[in-house]
Amino acid sequence: MFRLRRNVNCDHNATTPVSRSVRLAMAKALTGFQANPSTPYREGRQAAFIVDRARRDLAAALNVAPETIIFTSGATEANNHVRSIAATLPPGRRHIIYNPMEHPAMLEPLRMLERDGFGLTAARPDHLGRIGVSELDRLWRPEVALVVMMAANNETGTFYDVRGLSAAARARGALFFSDMVQALGKIPLDLAGLGVDYATFSAHKISGPKGTGALYVRKGAPFAPLVVGGGQEGGRRAGTESLHNLAGFAAAVKEIPSPARTSGLRRLKEAFVEGLLELHPGTQLNSPPGRESQPGTVSVTLPGFDNAFLLGQLDYHGISVAAGSACRTGANEPSHVLLAMGLSAEQARSTLRLSFGPDFSKKDLRYLLDVFRIVLAGQESRAIDVILPGSVTEDFIFRKDLTIVHVKRFPGLKGPRPLPGSRVIALGDKPAWEGVNPPGPVFLTCEVGYDAPIMAWSLRRRGLRDLSVLALGLWGLKLGRPDLWRRLDGQGRGTPEDDSNEP
Ligand code: PLP
């Protein structure tokens, strides 16, 4: 029997809902503390006290001294310090071993270092994303001065043996930098005991506010600032402190659940996996079992299903999940994480990541499995036509009765030129979407193939029936059908600034 529609958030690794106590702490900081924490008078000193308390709270949760914590605008900025830190390495030892499954917030700074002449060696994960100490032994060379290895992967939930890996690095005189964004709140983090030199954190992954994070620098570890200007954070990170965000970060840190409270979540995740395997025995699991992965995260490959369409259909039923593919601005690239684990591009495009939070209940689980039963049976998916770039024709595009809608997530940013005659609507512009009600068919396009199916399913929920979407988006069409793209270009009516990003 199918249950009433619910909203189930299965995407906690993207971000977490801001908790009530965090909201209250932030509101209090915003209303009660207006001064700049660097100013000497009473209000300024009170503001400085908020920053100081946040630092002490985070330091206590990590079992380190407060002065080892530097607040940043988020984990992306904290990870970017790998560049300024690497610049302090001795000239003969400018080689870095890293985990190729790192978040782009770490990979991109590493690529910049490579362009600057640093040597990089990627470790080789196994099929569940694990990298052991023996892999470091295999890759070791005398020039290595830095090892970059996350504590938990955001797509698969895989935990890494930070203690063992950092000890192996230290034994050879190398430094150890760990992105711990996805580990904070999931496992106890005693940084002193783990032996890392640098670690990074993000408030919004633990029910805190977005736009705030921290960098831990072990006392005595080499350091050079990345953001220079005023003398904030002891001269290590310039910029007026984001007081309300830090108040929220501190409140979130205080609510970090004890490891015992995550075992119920792990049981629910395991029950989901069991249920999914029953529904679809061909399902492939990409997350390690038991305590080797985050309690609420699982990555599943459903061969034969396109994750963009699964995502749209699940969204139609009120379920938020993530695809195993990174939506980059250039093209619909399969996830670098899954490729590094040995999955093919096709398998990566059939992969979903589900990350449950502490509020995930047995009722949510039953609903989730009911929806998967419907979606995987495939009857519903025929309700929306999927048009592959290879099947797009000019006759179709110029049909008189066809309404073409181009979905943009961020209309203020550049993207590919929409098809001639397209109506461009922002994904979040509800009134504009409510105006889409033509008598004839609607064809939806987007940049890389994720946003159009989502909108198609929500138009269907509003009662529209004759709907089709362009698979792989306009970048897919441009790459797959350059002939058609060139012919259409001459007839395009898109705005010129919409025409610039090259895939
Ligand atoms: N590192 C990991 C592992 C992440 O999952 C994320 C966010 O998704 C980041 C870094 C970036 O964090 P922030 O959003 O605070 O910049």
Side-chain angles (χ1 to χ4, degrees):
M1 191 201 63
F2 194 62
R3 285 160 226 276
L4 285 180
R5 187 176 185 279
R6 306 169 67 82
N7 287 325
V8 186
N9 177 356
C10 307
D11 200 17
H12 280 74
N13 281 11
T15 196
T16 49
V18 175
S19 77
R20 189 179 132 77
S21 67
V22 168
R23 279 200 303 273
L24 290 176
M26 292 178 73
K28 196 168 156 202
L30 276 171
T31 47
F33 299 90
Q34 307 291 348
N36 186 324
S38 299
T39 52
Y41 35 84
R42 187 165 57 86
E43 286 84 355
R45 294 196 302 274
Q46 285 172 339
F49 184 67
I50 302 232
V51 177
D52 189 57
R53 204 172 49 197
R55 197 185 317 281
R56 280 185 280 121
D57 286 343
L58 180 60
L62 301 171
N63 192 28
V64 291
E67 61 270 25
T68 60
I69 301 292
I70 301 171
F71 287 121
T72 63
S73 66
T76 299
E77 184 193 316
N79 281 352
N80 265 268
H81 282 82
V82 75
R83 286 164 48 211
S84 53
I85 288 165
T88 68
L89 297 176
R93 291 194 64 188
R94 299 206 147 186
H95 201 99
I96 302 168
I97 294 180
Y98 73 104
N99 179 349
M101 294 168 59
E102 295 288 328
H103 190 275
M106 183 65 90
L107 283 185
E108 291 303 321
L110 287 176
R111 283 192 189 122
M112 286 185 84
L113 283 172
E114 193 171 32
R115 285 196 288 274
D116 290 346
F118 283 79
L120 289 190
T121 299
R124 201 167 52 204
D126 74 3
H127 67 293
L128 297 176
R130 295 171 294 204
I131 296 171
V133 174
S134 57
E135 178 63 1
L136 273 196
D137 296 341
R138 186 180 74 84
L139 296 176
W140 205 265
R141 48 202 280 181
E143 313 89 87
V144 175
L146 181 64
V147 174
V148 173
M149 196 72 63
M150 63 198 331
N153 182 266
N154 45 300
E155 283 191 33
T156 60
T158 308
F159 281 133
Y160 295 90
D161 170 17
V162 171
R163 192 184 302 271
L165 292 161
S166 73
R170 201 172 44 246
R172 292 165 164 113
L175 296 160
F176 195 88
F177 194 132
S178 186
D179 174 335
M180 298 197 161
V181 167
Q182 296 288 350
L184 184 61
K186 312 287 188 331
I187 41 170
L189 287 179
D190 168 1
L191 291 194
L194 288 175
V196 298
D197 298 290
Y198 312 96
T200 58
F201 304 94
S202 176
H204 74 100
K205 308 290 179 172
I206 57 163
S207 295
K210 295 161 189 64
T212 294
L215 167 70
Y216 159 78
V217 181
R218 181 184 55 75
K219 267 188 212 167
F223 179 78
L226 181 72
V227 181
V228 291
Q232 291 90 350
E233 298 295 287
R236 295 172 301 172
R237 194 276 185 182
T240 303
E241 297 86 345
S242 182
L243 212 61
H244 59 294
N245 277 333
L246 293 180
F249 195 177
V253 164
K254 289 215 186 97
E255 288 184 323
I256 286 177
S258 73
R261 272 177 52 206
T262 58
S263 55
L265 182 60
R266 191 180 292 286
R267 275 197 296 278
L268 286 176
K269 176 182 82 171
E270 284 163 0
F272 166 72
V273 169
E274 244 171 65
L276 189 64
L277 283 168
E278 241 170 65
L279 289 177
H280 195 69
T283 304
Q284 178 190 318
L285 300 181
N286 308 310
S287 303
R291 301 200 170 273
E292 282 187 283
S293 62
Q294 287 175 320
T297 304
V298 63
S299 163
V300 291
T301 302
L302 298 150
F305 289 89
D306 183 309
N307 58 16
F309 293 93
L310 288 174
L311 213 130
Q313 262 179 288
L314 293 169
D315 182 58
Y316 171 72
H317 288 286
I319 294 170
S320 336
V321 300
S325 302
C327 300
R328 303 260 182 92
T329 41
N332 182 348
E333 289 171 14
S335 148
H336 70 279
V337 168
L338 300 172
L339 296 184
M341 289 161 54
L343 272 74
S344 65
E346 200 185 332
Q347 286 171 317
R349 288 208 171 90
S350 298
T351 298
L352 292 178
R353 171 192 75 187
L354 293 101
S355 48
F356 310 121
D359 55 343
F360 187 66
S361 67
K362 280 186 185 159
K363 269 193 185 158
D364 291 334
L365 172 66
R366 281 198 293 274
Y367 177 73
L368 188 62
L369 286 170
D370 278 345
V371 171
F372 264 97
R373 179 174 299 115
I374 293 171
V375 168
L376 297 176
Q379 288 117 344
E380 256 192 356
S381 57
R382 286 193 282 275
I384 291 173
D385 274 342
V386 179
I387 302 190
L388 291 166
S391 318
V392 178
T393 62
E394 274 160 277
D395 283 352
F396 174 70
I397 291 172
F398 290 104
R399 256 175 75 167
K400 286 265 171 310
D401 61 340
L402 183 72
T403 301
I404 306 181
V405 178
H406 181 63
V407 189
K408 280 204 88 169
R409 189 168 286 251
F410 298 109
L413 298 181
K414 289 173 178 174
R417 183 198 286 269
L419 293 177
S422 296
R423 219 167 128 181
V424 179
I425 305 187
L427 196 59
D429 187 351
K430 202 164 168 235
W433 284 108
E434 279 164 1
V436 178
N437 215 356
V442 181
F443 177 50
L444 293 109
T445 64
C446 59
E447 286 189 27
V448 299
Y450 282 96
D451 296 336
I454 287 187
M455 271 335 291
W457 281 102
S458 70
L459 288 180
R460 185 173 161 78
R461 194 163 60 229
R462 278 213 356 254
L464 265 71
R465 284 294 174 264
D466 198 349
L467 296 160
S468 55
V469 297
L470 173 66
L472 302 175
L474 290 179
W475 289 124
L477 187 68
K478 186 171 181 179
L479 290 172
R481 297 288 308 282
D483 54 318
L484 177 70
W485 188 263
R486 268 194 305 276
R487 286 202 302 280
L488 291 175
D489 214 22
Q491 307 164 57
R493 283 182 242 153
T495 54
E497 65 269 24
D498 255 335
D499 196 16
S500 45
N501 286 2
E502 286 301 316

